[in-house]
Amino acid sequence: MINFAVSEEKNKWLKEKMESLGIHESDIEEKFIRSSGKGGQNVNKTATCVYLKHIPTGIEVKCMKDRSQSINRFLARRELVERVEGLLGKKTDEDMRKEKIKKQKAKRKKRAKLKQEHPDSSPD
């Protein structure tokens, strides 16, 4: 496994996640492209944009969020892991976050409705 320019914990997390989903480095086709947009001369001179293709599933990921190629390689793999999880029907971190927000909104809506029905008493 490759170590990227992120913390050791994040490298370890990515390695474990890829192993648990059965994603191997040999299954990934990786290309580097020149980025565009913010970053000044650095992005014009270096190929910091990372393109990944997971051959077994056909999932393609393109990442150019950071000026560092190593960080973009990590971020692209993290995105690939999330997409493979979604394909397998597993709940991703993003799904759990959205579910939590949905519950919070429902709770607020219920509280507001109760307050509308009984304005003289407070639910707290």
Side-chain angles (χ1 to χ4, degrees):
M1 182 70 188
I2 308 158
N3 279 332
F4 303 105
V6 292
S7 69
E8 192 58 44
E9 296 159 11
K10 288 181 180 180
N11 276 313
K12 186 179 176 186
W13 173 86
L14 182 65
K15 182 181 178 184
E16 289 171 0
K17 207 69 160 160
M18 286 176 72
E19 284 176 4
S20 70
L21 292 170
I23 302 171
H24 306 287
E25 285 293 327
S26 57
D27 296 340
I28 298 172
E29 182 184 314
E30 187 173 41
K31 293 179 186 174
F32 303 104
I33 310 160
R34 281 199 182 153
S35 297
S36 61
K38 297 177 185 173
Q41 290 180 344
N42 184 58
V43 295
N44 298 330
K45 291 189 279 187
T46 59
T48 55
C49 180
V50 178
Y51 167 85
L52 297 180
K53 181 174 182 179
H54 188 237
I55 297 164
T57 59
I59 296 173
E60 296 178 354
V61 176
K62 189 176 180 183
C63 182
M64 55 181 182
K65 293 179 183 168
D66 199 89
R67 286 174 54 174
S68 164
Q69 187 184 76
S70 182
I71 292 174
N72 282 336
R73 291 178 78 195
F74 170 80
L75 293 173
R77 280 169 175 74
R78 188 173 71 181
E79 177 72 25
L80 179 70
V81 164
E82 288 175 2
R83 288 194 189 176
V84 170
E85 277 182 333
L87 193 69
L88 297 175
K90 293 184 179 182
K91 283 193 174 183
T92 62
D93 293 337
E94 183 69 17
D95 292 336
M96 292 187 334
R97 189 184 65 78
K98 285 180 181 176
E99 199 173 289
K100 182 181 176 184
I101 290 170
K102 194 175 182 180
K103 285 179 185 177
Q104 287 173 341
K105 285 183 179 180
K107 194 174 180 180
R108 275 191 224 117
K109 188 176 180 181
K110 185 178 176 182
R111 199 179 304 135
K113 189 176 181 182
L114 204 121
K115 208 172 197 177
Q116 231 176 14
E117 290 172 359
H118 307 286
D120 53 343
S121 65
S122 65
D124 293 331

